[in-house]
Amino acid sequence: TAGYTSHLAASDIHLAGDEPQQDRVDAYNIFGRYDWGGNRYHVLADYTAALSEFDPADLDANADGEGDQPMALNTEFVYEPKPDMLWGASYQMTDEMVDYPESSYGVMYGERLSDLVMLKLAYTHGEYGDYVTAGQQSEDCLVAEIGLMF
């Protein structure tokens, strides 16, 4: 699938903060998924990118005097050895995205605890570059998610 965003800064991730911007910056998104092996294996990819640079007054995280043109890519591989269990691996990369790791990778495990409850555990490690404002160089994150179906 493909999509178009007419005002990237107004999206849910608040790239340029909550202040009004000089100009709107359009973006596009491409998403794909491929399943095989009796629907036991899955590959997913999602790519989003600005079509032009932001005005430097709106978004210039590395203070080089040029507006940023953010991009993000997410890829995932998921294996379901049995219907109630899954394992996964992911890789993400960004360019000119404020306070997002430039590259990160992760692993995930999920298991259905009952007909209505799914538990997922995920670990990610990310490395930052020039577009970090808090000074960190890397991050490690462990997430536990409980999904309820009704």
Side-chain angles (χ1 to χ4, degrees):
T1 62
Y4 171 80
T5 301
S6 64
H7 191 16
L8 184 60
S11 67
D12 291 342
I13 57 176
H14 301 283
L15 283 174
D18 294 324
E19 299 298 317
Q21 282 76 52
Q22 302 290 325
D23 297 305
R24 290 178 178 251
V25 174
D26 300 339
Y28 66 97
N29 172 270
I30 299 171
F31 172 80
R33 175 181 173 144
Y34 181 71
D35 305 310
W36 75 97
N39 217 23
R40 291 177 57 190
Y41 300 93
H42 316 278
V43 174
L44 300 91
D46 189 8
Y47 178 80
T48 302
L51 291 171
S52 61
E53 293 179 346
F54 278 84
D55 185 291
D58 294 332
L59 189 60
D60 182 18
N62 64 346
D64 64 358
E66 295 181 21
D68 298 340
Q69 188 172 358
M71 173 281 298
L73 170 70
N74 176 58
T75 59
E76 299 178 16
F77 169 77
V78 177
Y79 168 59
E80 296 184 50
K82 56 185 184 176
D84 293 337
M85 178 187 292
L86 53 88
W87 292 92
S90 65
Y91 175 75
Q92 297 89 27
M93 65 178 284
T94 65
D95 188 32
E96 299 187 8
M97 292 276 294
V98 179
D99 292 332
Y100 283 84
E102 284 188 353
S103 67
S104 64
Y105 56 86
V107 293
M108 187 257 307
Y109 169 76
E111 186 168 339
R112 184 163 303 286
L113 302 177
S114 73
D115 289 342
L116 301 176
V117 180
M118 179 78 168
L119 170 68
K120 292 182 184 174
L121 301 172
Y123 165 78
T124 58
H125 173 78
E127 297 287 331
Y128 288 88
D130 294 339
Y131 291 86
V132 63
T133 59
Q136 73 253 41
Q137 295 301 309
S138 65
E139 73 176 3
D140 293 287
C141 184
L142 181 62
V143 175
E145 175 183 307
I146 295 178
L148 301 173
M149 295 176 52
F150 49 91

